[in-house]
Amino acid sequence: MRKPINPVVEKLKPSGIRKFFDLANTMQGVISLGVGEPDFDTPWHICENAIHSMSTGKTHYTANRGLLELRQAICEFHKVRYHQNYDPEKETLVTVGGSEAIDLAMRALVTPGDEVIVLDPNYVAYAPTIELAGGIPVPIELKEEHEFKLMPDVLQHAITDKTKAMIINYPSNPTGGVMTKEDYEKIVPIIKESGIYVISDEIYAELSFDQDFASLAQFDEVKDQILVINGFSKAFAMTGWRLGYVLSNAEISSAMTKIHQYVIMSAPTQAQYAAIEALRHGLEDVLTMKKDYMNRRNLLVNRLNRMGLKTNMPHGTFYVFPNIQKTGLTSDEFCEKLLDEEKVACVPGNAFGEHGEGFIRISYAYSIDHIKEACDRIERFLSNLTK
Ligand code: PMP
């Protein structure tokens, strides 16, 4: 008889997003509001820099931490755009997407039995990467009435002697919630006092609407305890290039670099050249795409509220998180019925944690026409429900 595989892996649940879209893919005429990636193609001047790098023989490994020129561009961008200060040589590591950075952060920090606080609802990769590192995810509930922000008393309550870290994501996938500087000011003393690490997934930083992006790494008194994760997928429409990075104190950065050096060696070289161009000359493209996202958000939130699905105005990302409790259906029932009757695919809120129940996630990384058509169908679905 064969030996069993790792039970931790065996117990991991498949992503609730994938499960649903596998079903949608088997049907004809489905209109999706499900994906978590920009509908825009990568701006061409960024692609060109990658092509140029290949045509000039830049087809080899880079330094384990990534090209120094890229790390310098990353640190410069973070200083100017986000008022965060990091050293390109000792505190910066280029990774295979933000995804690798999340995994490295967990593996570098967590020892078996450590608790890691996750905000619920949250991005689907957090709990599995904690479990794979031997840690225990401890979900804390985010509430709609608080616009899905992290509240200081809730955090204080969740911290125990076993808490090693917390992972947060603002602007947030799936809720679109953001934290302001004033919101963070209230939790900084708790983080300082407890000594826990905070992995701050800031992959949607550039997609902050209506207000300035804020980060815990802007507070000197806790900066040493913060790991900032970011990448090129969302802001620059570069999901397929698989490039991200993590900024942290030098000790944690070299710990993560050790793991990265053994399992990855170095992130893809062509993508790194593309990323240098993105950071140096791509901001205008980002701002153009952002304007489009904001127009779509306004249309979508307006329509959803008008048809009776209570929806907070999100201040970041390209997701909205409508409350569907009024329909009397669970998140799964709502999405299944909507797919079955009107062929619109959304993601049930409980795919992002148990406190996502009663909500659905809608992505607006689609054209205005696509969004309008989907809204018409959802409206018809709701009026048939109440008949
Ligand atoms: N964090 C969040 C919150 C995300 O939504 C995603 C992508 N869906 C990632 C990290 C991973 O992005 P990537 O690996 O493409 O950088």
Side-chain angles (χ1 to χ4, degrees):
M1 212 180 50
R2 280 195 300 127
K3 303 269 188 191
I5 67 159
N6 179 348
V8 179
V9 179
E10 199 168 55
K11 270 198 241 133
L12 289 181
K13 286 192 240 107
S15 154
I17 305 182
R18 274 272 83 81
K19 195 176 77 187
F20 203 75
F21 281 85
D22 288 346
L23 177 66
N25 282 340
T26 62
M27 298 168 67
Q28 294 280 316
V30 172
I31 178 160
S32 173
L33 293 173
V35 305
E37 68 168 319
D39 55 318
F40 301 103
D41 293 333
T42 306
W44 184 245
H45 64 103
I46 296 175
C47 301
E48 253 175 357
N49 215 44
I51 296 166
H52 178 71
S53 76
M54 286 186 274
S55 67
T56 50
K58 308 278 182 8
T59 55
H60 304 268
Y61 294 131
T62 67
N64 290 134
R65 280 179 181 273
L67 291 164
L68 181 58
E69 193 186 351
L70 172 58
R71 284 181 276 142
Q72 285 164 338
I74 290 168
C75 291
E76 183 59 27
F77 192 87
H78 275 252
K79 194 161 138 195
V80 174
R81 299 287 295 158
Y82 313 137
H83 315 294
Q84 296 170 335
N85 292 302
Y86 285 95
D87 181 301
E89 299 197 28
K90 296 200 174 80
E91 300 180 324
T92 308
L93 169 63
V94 178
T95 55
V96 180
S99 302
E100 191 212 350
I102 296 166
D103 186 47
L104 289 181
M106 295 304 173
R107 288 205 274 165
L109 295 177
V110 174
T111 48
D114 282 346
E115 293 179 355
V116 181
I117 295 171
V118 293
L119 314 188
D120 183 345
N122 68 98
Y123 177 51
V124 293
Y126 300 153
T129 47
I130 294 165
E131 284 168 358
L132 286 168
I136 303 161
V138 177
I140 60 179
E141 181 181 1
L142 299 179
K143 294 210 163 112
E144 185 188 24
E145 71 241 43
H146 300 140
E147 296 181 89
F148 302 103
K149 291 175 192 235
L150 172 60
M151 305 309 278
D153 51 330
V154 182
L155 171 61
Q156 184 77 67
H157 222 77
I159 296 177
T160 71
D161 289 348
K162 293 205 180 115
T163 311
K164 175 63 75 73
M166 163 169 74
I167 181 157
I168 63 174
N169 167 228
Y170 289 104
S172 156
N173 174 9
T175 67
V178 302
M179 292 277 281
T180 62
K181 192 141 198 218
E182 293 69 40
D183 296 325
Y184 280 131
E185 266 163 16
K186 295 182 199 133
I187 65 165
V188 162
I190 303 171
I191 290 160
K192 175 91 189 147
E193 164 77 23
S194 62
I196 64 168
Y197 293 102
V198 180
I199 302 158
S200 182
D201 179 349
E202 303 182 357
I203 197 126
Y204 294 98
E206 276 303 318
L207 300 180
S208 299
F209 312 133
D210 319 313
Q211 56 206 39
D212 287 341
F213 171 71
S215 162
L216 280 172
Q218 293 163 341
F219 293 84
D220 288 343
E221 58 270 50
V222 289
K223 187 182 160 234
D224 228 31
Q225 292 163 248
I226 313 301
L227 290 77
V228 170
I229 288 173
N230 209 320
F232 297 88
S233 288
K234 314 291 171 171
F236 297 98
M238 292 176 66
T239 45
W241 297 80
R242 309 309 306 125
L243 208 68
Y245 51 91
V246 49
L247 310 170
S248 69
N249 76 42
E251 184 193 7
I252 299 176
S253 194
S254 48
M256 291 187 292
T257 304
K258 262 197 258 181
I259 309 172
H260 173 82
Q261 136 192 319
Y262 289 123
V263 299
I264 300 288
M265 302 270 279
S266 60
T269 302
Q270 294 73 36
Q272 293 191 50
Y273 280 99
I276 293 172
E277 171 67 14
L279 291 169
R280 295 220 171 117
H281 304 117
L283 192 57
E284 230 171 86
D285 304 292
V286 175
L287 299 178
T288 309
M289 291 187 265
K290 182 170 155 180
K291 217 161 131 200
D292 254 39
Y293 289 131
M294 285 176 78
N295 288 337
R296 299 166 184 189
R297 174 199 65 165
N298 294 346
L299 172 104
L300 184 59
V301 172
N302 253 319
R303 289 268 328 246
L304 290 169
N305 278 309
R306 274 213 318 261
M307 63 178 90
L309 285 187
K310 183 165 160 258
T311 308
N312 274 351
M313 178 62 85
H315 298 296
T317 70
F318 37 64
Y319 308 107
V320 296
F321 207 57
N323 184 326
I324 53 110
Q325 285 155 23
K326 224 177 81 181
T327 63
L329 301 172
T330 65
S331 301
D332 273 338
E333 284 165 355
F334 185 97
C335 289
E336 276 161 29
K337 227 167 144 48
L338 178 62
L339 182 62
D340 189 44
E341 290 178 16
E342 291 293 343
K343 296 197 164 50
V344 177
C346 303
V347 184
N350 61 350
F352 306 95
E354 69 172 291
H355 298 295
E357 179 54 51
F359 297 85
I360 57 168
R361 190 193 74 174
I362 292 181
S363 158
Y364 50 92
Y366 295 96
S367 71
I368 285 274
D369 286 346
H370 186 106
I371 293 168
K372 281 185 181 156
E373 168 65 22
C375 282
D376 291 345
R377 294 190 191 190
I378 298 173
E379 194 162 9
R380 195 163 55 212
F381 170 73
L382 290 173
S383 67
N384 284 340
L385 266 188
T386 51
K387 265 183 198 158

